[in-house]
Amino acid sequence: QVQLVESGGGLVQAGDSLRLSCAASGRTFSNYAMGWFRQAPGKEREFVATISWSGGSTYYADAVKGRFTISRDNANNTVYLQMNSVKPEATAVYYCAARYYRMSSYRYEYDYWGQGTQVTVSS
């Protein structure tokens, strides 16, 4: 089992920056690729970013490419999502997820999920 706890959400204004964190515990964190997803009210959960187990590879949704950065610290079992120049359409609950070994942009391929952290962007 891998337990994931997100933090760092809140209310920000359009154009601001925000950093989300996801602390992992349980199995060996460095065995897992990590992903960030988000779910806005009335919408399906969508992919935001993913990072390989080593941190050497990343992949982003087109909607956030160039503004969001995913990173990880395997020594501290934490993955981050740096969100810059946020837009109101980024308002959602943000979830981190773990998938054994391989990166993926498909939520169904992830094994473990956190409870989510709310991000609200005002215009």
Side-chain angles (χ1 to χ4, degrees):
Q1 287 278 13
V2 175
Q3 291 78 41
L4 303 171
V5 179
E6 303 94 336
S7 61
L11 174 63
V12 296
Q13 292 189 334
D16 284 352
S17 296
L18 195 65
R19 189 175 82 157
L20 306 183
S21 300
C22 173
S25 61
R27 296 191 175 181
T28 305
F29 179 66
S30 59
N31 285 344
Y32 290 82
M34 299 297 295
W36 284 98
F37 292 77
R38 65 188 181 186
Q39 188 167 17
K43 295 189 176 182
E44 291 192 352
R45 194 170 299 188
E46 64 175 7
F47 168 72
V48 175
T50 183
I51 188 167
S52 63
W53 63 269
S54 67
S57 296
T58 57
Y59 179 70
Y60 298 91
D62 288 343
V64 306
K65 200 174 298 182
R67 296 184 299 110
F68 290 13
T69 302
I70 188 172
S71 61
R72 67 189 295 161
D73 179 351
N74 284 349
N76 290 298
N77 294 350
T78 303
V79 63
Y80 303 98
L81 184 69
Q82 178 66 43
M83 306 166 60
N84 296 332
S85 303
V86 293
K87 302 177 180 180
E89 50 263 42
T91 295
V93 178
Y94 283 72
Y95 298 90
C96 72
R99 181 177 192 243
Y100 184 72
Y101 193 59
R102 292 188 181 276
M103 298 165 56
S104 175
S105 61
Y106 296 100
R107 66 181 190 269
Y108 303 108
E109 294 186 340
Y110 281 79
D111 304 304
Y112 302 102
W113 291 86
Q115 293 301 305
T117 186
Q118 175 71 48
V119 172
T120 303
V121 183
S122 64
S123 57

